[in-house]
Amino acid sequence: MAIQYLRIGFQKLLPRRGAQWLFAYLGRADVLDHHARRWVRFAGVKPDLVHEDVLLPDDAAPEMHNPAELARAMDRAEGRLLRKRRNRKRWPQVGASFVAALPPDSQVSYDEAIELTRRLARRIRDGLPIPVYFAIHDPARDPSRRTSPNRHAHLVVPLRGMDRIGFLRTKLRNVFARPRTNQQNVDPTYVAEGVNWPRLHRELQMRFFLERGLDLVVDPPLPIGNRHWSETVWREEPEAVEADRAAIRHRNRELLFGNPAVLLDRLLRGRSIMPIAELHRFLALFIDNEADRNTRLEQILTDPGVSTFAVHPQDRRPSRISTSSIHELVQAAVNIVRAQARSADDPRIVVKSEMNSEAVTADLEQEIGRQRERALFLVGDVESDCVPLKDRLGNRGSQLSTIEYQLKDSFNPYRLDGSRSKFQKGDLVVLPRSEKTDDSAVAELIVACAERGAHLLVGYDQSRQEGIVSNRLAAYLAESLGATAVHQMDFRNAELHLSCGWPGPAIEMLGRAGILEFEPTHDDGAEDYDFLVSDDPYRIAMTNQNSNPGEGLLEHGPDWFSPGDWITFTKTDYGDDLTPERRPISPTVRENRLAQFIGVPEGRRILISHGDEDLEEIDLRRFPHLRRAAAISIRQAYYAPAKARLKIELTKSRYAWASLLLALRKAETSKLQVDPSVARDANELLSVVRRSMPSALSSELAALTDPEAALTRILEQPPAVVASHSPGSQVEIEEFPVPSGAAHAAGSSGYGSTEAWRRNVAWAEPIERRIQRDVLHEQIWDTLASTPGGEDIVNQLEGWAASENRKETFDRLVELYRGKPMEALVRAFMDPGEQQHPAERPEEEEMDEPLDMMNGRPREWSANELAVFRQDIKTFGWQFTKWSVHLAQIPDTEEPEGPG
C-alpha cells in the first residue's frame, strides 16, 4: 500500500552545517566541507542509499550535475551575503528539503521509484530555473531492517535561480508558500496560500500507477488528518501526542458513524467522484471485522444522500461513489457546457487551451481586450493563480478574488469604497488556471455564471497534464469548447491531449496511421513483432511457455535460452549478499528490465547485453531471478529497445488509457489490438477510455445502486415498509428473536436506523486501547477480530504488561514468536516505548526518517504469515504452561488441538 507522505523543511546555513553537510549525509559520503572548514564523514553510516542524481535547468553549467559541486555553490551563494556571523539569531535558508515516501520494492521496481521521484522533482520545480538534488534510501537494504517498508526519497531545492554562470543574487520568493501580514492575527505573519504537498504526491503516484498498468492504490487521507509532530515532541511530550491523536481518531469515528453525505464530502476533498475502494480502505482503519465493515459500507451506499455509479453499464455492482448534491451540481454544469457547445453563435463560455501557461495568459489577455466594455473579475482557487494575468493587464481595472469569495452569500458584495466585489449580469469572469481547480469549484462557478447571466472566460494549461486522477471537469470543459483539431497535431500533441484526459485525438490518429485494430486477440498466426504486450498475466505466462523451444544453449528452470533470446529480470540485484565494499550503489540488473542472452562463458555464469550498453556477466547460482520475455507487461514495455516491434493487446477496459498511451509513445513500431469484449469500434473505445479514468465524471458513468446493499436495507426495515416495496403483493417477513446481549431500541424489530445501530451493536464502539491503533497494520486487527480468542489475547497481553515479571514474559514471548505477526502484537502491547516514547536520536536521523512517516506505514504481512498468526491465536494459551504464567482463556467453542 502506497501512502501520500510528503513533508517539507528548510535547511539553514549554520556555522557548522549547510548544503555540503546535508548532501554528504543524504549521499552517505565523506566530504570536505569548505563552508564549515572540516571533514564530514558519513560513508557507511547506513547501507541504504540506492540512487542519487541532480536535475538541472536547461542552461545550467554541466559541472553542477556533481552533487558535491552543487552543494558548494549553494553554500557560497548564501555565504557571500552573510555579513554578521557572531551572535546571530536568524540564519539564512540555503534550500527546501523534502521527504517523500515511496512504495516498497515489492510493489514498485527500482527504475519506477527513480522515475516517480524525477516526476516529483519536476513538479516541485514547476518550470522554475532551479536545480533539484534527490537521493533514494531503501532501509530494506540494511541487513538489520530487511522487512522495512519505508523506502523514501529526499529532495533538496535551492531557493535561488540558476543560469550557466551560477546562482543568481536574488532569491525566489513565494515559491512554496505565500506569507502575508495581518495585524489582527496573534501571529502577524501567516501562510495565506500554500501547496498541499501530500495531495500532490498522492496524485502523482495514482497517475503513475495508472500509466504503468499497476493495480496499486494510494492509501486515502483521513477526513481529519493528524499533525506532523517533531521528534522532540514525540520524545518529551508523548502524552500530549497520544491525546491529540486520540482526539482526532474520535472525531474521525464520529464522521464514520454519522451522516454518510458529510463523511463523503470530507473524503472527496473537492473531487466530484471517488472509488468505493477508497471508502472501504477508510472503514478498515476503524472497524476490525470484515463483515462489520461490509455492513457499514452497505448502509453508506444506500443512504439517500449518496449516489453510486458503475464504470460499465453491464457491471453488476457499482465501483464509484459521490454525494447526491455534488452529482447534481456537476450534472448541471455538464448540461450547461453541452448547451454552449451546441450554440456557438452566442458564446457565454470561452475556453483558451494552450500547451504552456504563458501562451494561455497571452490568449486570455487578447480575449479580454475584445470584451473591454465588461466589468472584469479574475477568480481562482487561490488569488496567486490570477497574479500573472493581472500583471499582464496592467492598468486595466479588474477585481481579483477567490472562487469561494464570489460564491458564498456570507461575504459582503460591496467593498469599503462602495465598488462591487462580486460579479453579476453582463460581467466577464475569468478563471485563468482551471486545470488547478477542483471539480466542485468549477461546477459551482459555471452554474453561478449561468444563473447570474455573467460571461465566463476559462484558461487551461495542457502542460500540467491534469484531468486523469483529478480536476476532470476543467479538462472536460476544455475538451468540449477549446480542443485543437486533429489535423493540426502530431503524435506528440496527441499524447499530450491524452495525458490531459482527452482520448479522442489519440484514437483518431492511431486509427489513421493503421496502428489501432479492432479484432479478436490471441491470434497465434505469423509473428511480425518482437514482443507481445498484454494486460493479462495468464496470457503472458502461456505465451512465454509456448515460445519455449525445449532445447538450447542453457536450461534455467522451465526455460531454454539460445543466443539472441530476450530475457527479463523478476528482481533487482542490489547485492545484498555482497560485502558493503563490493555492493553497487546503482544496480545494473534491475527488475522488469529487458536484456539479450549472449552466451555461457563458464559454469552457471551467463553473458547478457543491456541494449546498447556494455556486456555483463551474471552468476545464476547467486542471482537466478530471470525468465523468458517473449510476452511482457505494460510496465516492462517501457524498457523495450526503441526499435523493438510491439503488439499491444487490450483485453481489460481498466487498462485502456495505459494501452493507448503506450501505443502513442511507441507509435513507429507498435500495433494496438483491441479485443471486441472491450470495444468494437473507435466510438466505443472512446467511451471506455473516458469511463476508465479514476476522475471520470458521474455524467460519463452509469448510475447503479448496489443490489446487495439495497436488499440488506430492505430486509432491515419493518415488515410494513418492506411490503411497500412490492405493491399488490403479500410479503411476509419472519421476525427473528433478538440476539442475546444486544439490547435493541424499544419497538424495533431489527437493527433499525443508523443511530440505533450505532448505539446497540457491540462492535460499533471497540474497546479503547492504550496503544495507538496505527502502530500495527489493520491486517493484525482484522485477524484478531475474526479469530476466536483474539480479544482474550489482547486482554492477557495488557495484564502481563502491568505485571511484575513483564520483562521475563516479554523476552520469552519474543523468542517464541520471533519474525511472526504475534511478535509485533507482543511488542506493541508489552513494549510500546519504541513506538510511542522513542529514544533520543541525532537530528539528522529525524530528518532522514521522520517518526510520523515510519508510524504511518506499519509492516504488511503475507497470507501465509497471517495463517500462522491465526494458528498462534488459537494455540496461544497452552504455549506457556511450563512457564507458570497466567494462561489466556480460549473460548470453549474453539477448543485447540494439542497438549493442555
Side-chain angles (χ1 to χ4, degrees):
M1 178 61 64
I3 63 174
Q4 56 164 11
Y5 183 92
L6 180 59
R7 188 172 181 177
I8 180 175
F10 292 90
Q11 176 66 36
K12 295 182 178 180
L13 186 67
L14 302 174
R16 294 180 62 83
R17 288 188 178 185
Q20 295 175 78
W21 174 90
L22 179 62
F23 280 37
Y25 182 77
L26 298 180
R28 310 302 193 228
D30 295 339
V31 173
L32 177 60
D33 190 339
H34 293 266
H35 165 70
R37 299 179 181 180
R38 64 179 181 127
W39 277 91
V40 287
R41 302 184 184 277
F42 292 115
V45 63
K46 289 181 181 180
D48 58 357
L49 177 68
V50 294
H51 185 77
E52 68 172 341
D53 201 356
V54 175
L55 195 65
L56 291 176
D58 294 336
D59 57 348
E63 59 268 17
M64 289 294 109
H65 196 270
N66 184 343
E69 291 293 334
L70 177 62
R72 279 196 288 270
M74 291 171 62
D75 283 344
R76 283 197 303 267
E78 300 299 331
R80 67 190 178 191
L81 302 177
L82 198 61
R83 300 289 181 260
K84 179 181 177 182
R85 294 178 180 267
R86 293 182 178 273
N87 301 323
R88 189 183 181 97
K89 296 182 179 180
R90 295 183 59 187
W91 295 90
Q93 295 174 343
V94 71
S97 177
F98 293 83
V99 184
L102 296 174
D105 199 58
S106 58
Q107 298 175 349
V108 170
S109 70
Y110 175 83
D111 287 300
E112 290 166 344
I114 295 175
E115 177 61 24
L116 191 57
T117 306
R118 284 184 177 276
R119 296 188 183 188
L120 177 59
R122 286 193 288 265
R123 178 56 65 89
I124 292 174
R125 190 169 67 176
D126 199 19
L128 294 173
I130 51 178
V132 181
Y133 165 81
F134 64 90
I136 299 177
H137 295 165
D138 191 353
R141 308 279 68 82
D142 189 341
S144 62
R145 297 189 292 171
R146 282 278 186 255
T147 60
S148 174
N150 291 314
R151 179 159 68 173
H152 57 278
H154 292 271
L155 302 97
V156 182
V157 184
L159 302 180
R160 298 179 185 275
M162 172 177 280
D163 57 16
R164 58 186 179 83
I165 298 177
F167 284 104
L168 307 178
R169 294 184 62 86
T170 305
K171 274 192 174 182
L172 297 172
R173 304 294 180 184
N174 302 327
V175 177
F176 306 115
R178 288 181 174 266
R180 292 179 185 167
T181 302
N182 187 352
Q183 296 180 354
Q184 297 178 357
N185 287 19
V186 177
D187 185 357
T189 303
Y190 67 101
V191 177
E193 298 176 4
V195 180
N196 191 332
W197 295 112
R199 174 177 174 174
L200 182 149
H201 186 37
R202 179 172 184 266
E203 292 177 356
L204 276 176
Q205 292 184 86
M206 291 177 61
R207 179 190 173 85
F208 183 78
F209 297 157
L210 182 68
E211 174 185 315
R212 298 301 172 100
L214 304 179
D215 294 325
L216 297 176
V217 295
V218 184
D219 224 359
L222 294 174
I224 302 174
N226 290 303
R227 290 186 57 184
H228 286 307
W229 296 96
S230 66
E231 184 167 355
T232 303
V233 178
W234 277 83
R235 184 176 60 255
E236 298 179 357
E237 301 181 56
E239 295 79 9
V241 175
E242 293 171 21
D244 180 78
R245 292 167 71 88
I248 291 177
R249 179 173 178 80
H250 178 71
R251 293 172 62 190
N252 282 315
R253 283 188 59 81
E254 287 185 332
L255 285 172
L256 171 60
F257 295 110
N259 188 335
V262 176
L263 170 65
L264 287 176
D265 191 60
R266 296 296 294 266
L267 290 174
L268 286 169
R269 297 177 185 271
R271 295 176 293 173
S272 62
I273 205 165
M274 62 179 277
I276 294 179
E278 285 191 20
L279 180 59
H280 206 284
R281 284 289 306 162
F282 172 68
L283 295 175
L285 298 176
F286 294 89
I287 302 176
D288 297 336
N289 188 276
E290 184 175 0
D292 299 335
R293 287 198 297 268
N294 292 333
T295 300
R296 182 55 182 156
L297 178 63
E298 290 174 350
Q299 291 186 341
I300 294 175
L301 295 181
T302 54
D303 188 85
V306 172
S307 299
T308 53
F309 307 90
V311 174
H312 307 289
Q314 65 272 21
D315 290 350
R316 192 176 65 87
R317 303 189 68 176
S319 58
R320 308 287 171 84
I321 190 171
S322 181
T323 66
S324 299
S325 59
I326 293 179
H327 164 55
E328 294 170 0
L329 175 66
V330 172
Q331 186 64 51
V334 170
N335 292 336
I336 293 172
V337 174
R338 289 174 177 172
Q340 177 62 59
R342 291 192 297 267
S343 59
D345 297 336
D346 183 22
R348 294 276 178 168
I349 303 177
V350 178
V351 178
K352 298 298 181 181
S353 174
E354 296 291 347
M355 300 179 64
N356 56 74
S357 59
E358 293 79 9
V360 171
T361 303
D363 286 357
L364 293 177
E365 180 189 16
Q366 188 176 6
E367 182 63 30
I368 291 172
R370 296 194 188 101
Q371 305 186 40
R372 61 174 58 90
E373 72 281 358
R374 302 184 185 276
L376 182 62
F377 290 83
L378 306 182
V379 299
D381 195 33
V382 291
E383 290 186 2
S384 59
D385 292 344
C386 310
V387 171
L389 179 58
K390 185 175 178 61
D391 294 341
R392 191 172 182 118
L393 293 175
N395 296 329
R396 171 74 158 86
S398 62
Q399 300 282 359
L400 188 149
S401 62
T402 64
I403 298 176
E404 180 184 16
Y405 178 85
Q406 289 291 334
L407 301 181
K408 296 298 182 182
D409 295 333
S410 58
F411 294 118
N412 191 338
Y414 294 95
R415 300 185 185 277
L416 295 178
D417 59 1
S419 61
R420 284 191 299 113
S421 62
K422 293 192 174 183
F423 65 85
Q424 60 185 20
K425 183 176 181 179
D427 294 340
L428 178 61
V429 181
V430 183
L431 179 61
R433 303 301 300 271
S434 64
E435 76 282 351
K436 297 174 62 177
T437 311
D438 292 328
D439 288 346
S440 297
V442 174
E444 285 187 278
L445 185 62
I446 292 174
V447 173
C449 288
E451 291 176 347
R452 301 183 193 180
H455 290 246
L456 180 60
L457 176 59
V458 178
Y460 191 88
D461 179 9
Q462 301 171 19
S463 65
R464 293 188 65 88
Q465 300 183 8
E466 301 284 354
I468 301 299
V469 299
S470 64
N471 303 349
R472 173 64 183 158
L473 184 55
Y476 174 82
L477 177 63
E479 181 183 20
S480 302
L481 303 177
T484 307
V486 176
H487 66 272
Q488 298 177 359
M489 64 175 64
D490 53 16
F491 281 114
R492 184 175 180 181
N493 292 335
E495 178 187 337
L496 180 61
H497 281 56
L498 181 63
S499 298
C500 295
W502 307 342
I507 294 175
E508 186 169 347
M509 290 200 66
L510 290 175
R512 288 181 178 181
I515 299 174
L516 182 61
E517 300 175 354
F518 295 91
E519 58 185 53
T521 57
H522 303 178
D523 181 12
D524 295 325
E527 297 183 357
D528 57 350
Y529 54 87
D530 297 316
F531 298 99
L532 170 68
V533 183
S534 177
D535 53 21
D536 185 357
Y538 178 77
R539 167 69 166 159
I540 294 175
M542 293 305 299
T543 301
N544 286 325
Q545 178 180 330
N546 295 335
S547 66
N548 188 11
E551 59 180 1
L553 184 62
L554 174 69
E555 181 183 10
H556 181 67
D559 295 325
W560 283 87
F561 298 100
S562 299
D565 288 347
W566 287 95
I567 62 175
T568 183
F569 304 103
T570 58
K571 286 188 178 181
T572 298
D573 184 10
Y574 290 102
D576 293 337
D577 57 331
L578 303 176
T579 60
E581 295 77 15
R582 297 179 55 195
R583 184 183 306 167
I585 292 180
S586 297
T588 56
V589 177
R590 307 174 183 178
E591 181 182 0
N592 295 327
R593 280 292 185 101
L594 302 174
Q596 268 190 309
F597 175 76
I598 302 300
V600 183
E602 58 178 345
R604 297 294 295 174
R605 303 180 69 87
I606 65 171
L607 193 65
I608 63 170
S609 171
H610 297 285
D612 298 331
E613 300 177 10
D614 296 336
L615 302 181
E616 182 175 0
E617 282 192 12
I618 297 179
D619 188 351
L620 295 181
R621 292 168 297 185
R622 191 186 69 82
F623 189 82
H625 309 290
L626 54 88
R627 64 165 179 82
R628 295 187 64 84
I632 57 179
S633 63
I634 294 176
R635 68 194 300 190
Q636 292 170 330
Y638 279 91
Y639 306 111
K643 298 182 180 180
R645 297 167 299 167
L646 306 180
K647 178 185 177 183
I648 307 170
E649 291 183 350
L650 175 56
T651 61
K652 298 179 181 179
S653 59
R654 67 176 181 271
Y655 303 116
W657 185 83
S659 299
L660 273 180
L661 185 64
L662 177 63
L664 281 174
R665 292 181 176 177
K666 304 281 187 178
E668 295 182 359
T669 58
S670 67
K671 289 277 187 180
L672 176 57
Q673 193 174 86
V674 182
D675 192 87
S677 63
V678 176
R680 291 168 294 183
D681 54 38
N683 290 331
E684 285 190 10
L685 181 60
L686 178 63
S687 178
V688 168
V689 175
R690 285 174 172 165
R691 294 197 305 263
S692 65
M693 291 186 291
S695 63
L697 298 176
S698 56
S699 60
E700 298 172 317
L701 304 176
L704 177 65
T705 301
D706 192 302
E708 296 183 11
L711 179 61
T712 302
R713 186 175 185 86
I714 293 174
L715 295 177
E716 286 181 352
Q717 294 175 349
V721 178
V722 176
S724 67
H725 288 276
S726 301
S729 62
Q730 298 294 326
V731 179
E732 295 184 2
I733 301 295
E734 179 184 0
E735 295 198 31
F736 292 91
V738 177
S740 60
H744 282 55
S748 174
S749 61
Y751 285 110
S753 65
T754 302
E755 290 73 16
W757 171 80
R758 285 184 56 195
R759 184 169 59 252
N760 299 319
V761 179
W763 57 262
E765 299 291 342
I767 299 174
E768 291 295 333
R769 299 297 179 192
R770 63 183 181 85
I771 67 168
Q772 284 298 327
R773 193 176 184 281
D774 52 11
V775 171
L776 298 170
H777 198 277
E778 59 261 24
Q779 296 169 317
I780 301 294
W781 299 106
D782 191 10
T783 306
L784 284 171
S786 60
T787 306
E791 181 71 18
D792 298 305
I793 289 178
V794 172
N795 293 333
Q796 184 63 70
L797 291 175
E798 288 186 325
W800 282 341
S803 63
E804 295 182 356
N805 62 340
R806 182 196 66 83
K807 188 177 186 307
E808 177 187 359
T809 306
F810 170 76
D811 292 340
R812 291 180 177 179
L813 287 171
V814 170
E815 179 183 357
L816 179 65
Y817 295 111
R818 189 172 301 280
K820 299 180 179 180
M822 186 64 77
E823 180 195 2
L825 182 67
V826 169
R827 289 187 179 276
F829 279 95
M830 298 189 65
D831 187 30
E834 183 177 350
Q835 287 85 7
Q836 299 189 37
H837 305 276
E840 185 172 359
R841 300 191 300 172
E843 179 183 349
E844 56 267 21
E845 289 198 21
E846 163 61 11
M847 177 266 300
D848 189 6
E849 290 186 79
L851 280 176
D852 48 2
M853 181 186 72
M854 298 169 66
N855 291 337
R857 184 161 55 182
R859 177 184 173 182
E860 296 185 43
W861 304 90
S862 66
N864 292 336
E865 290 171 325
L866 292 175
V868 172
F869 184 42
R870 293 188 188 94
Q871 187 63 29
D872 288 340
I873 293 174
K874 297 177 181 180
T875 61
F876 187 81
W878 53 266
Q879 290 278 7
F880 316 111
T881 54
K882 61 182 179 180
W883 292 351
S884 299
V885 296
H886 183 64
L887 302 182
Q889 298 298 319
I890 305 297
D892 296 335
T893 57
E894 188 74 13
E895 192 70 28
E897 299 180 0

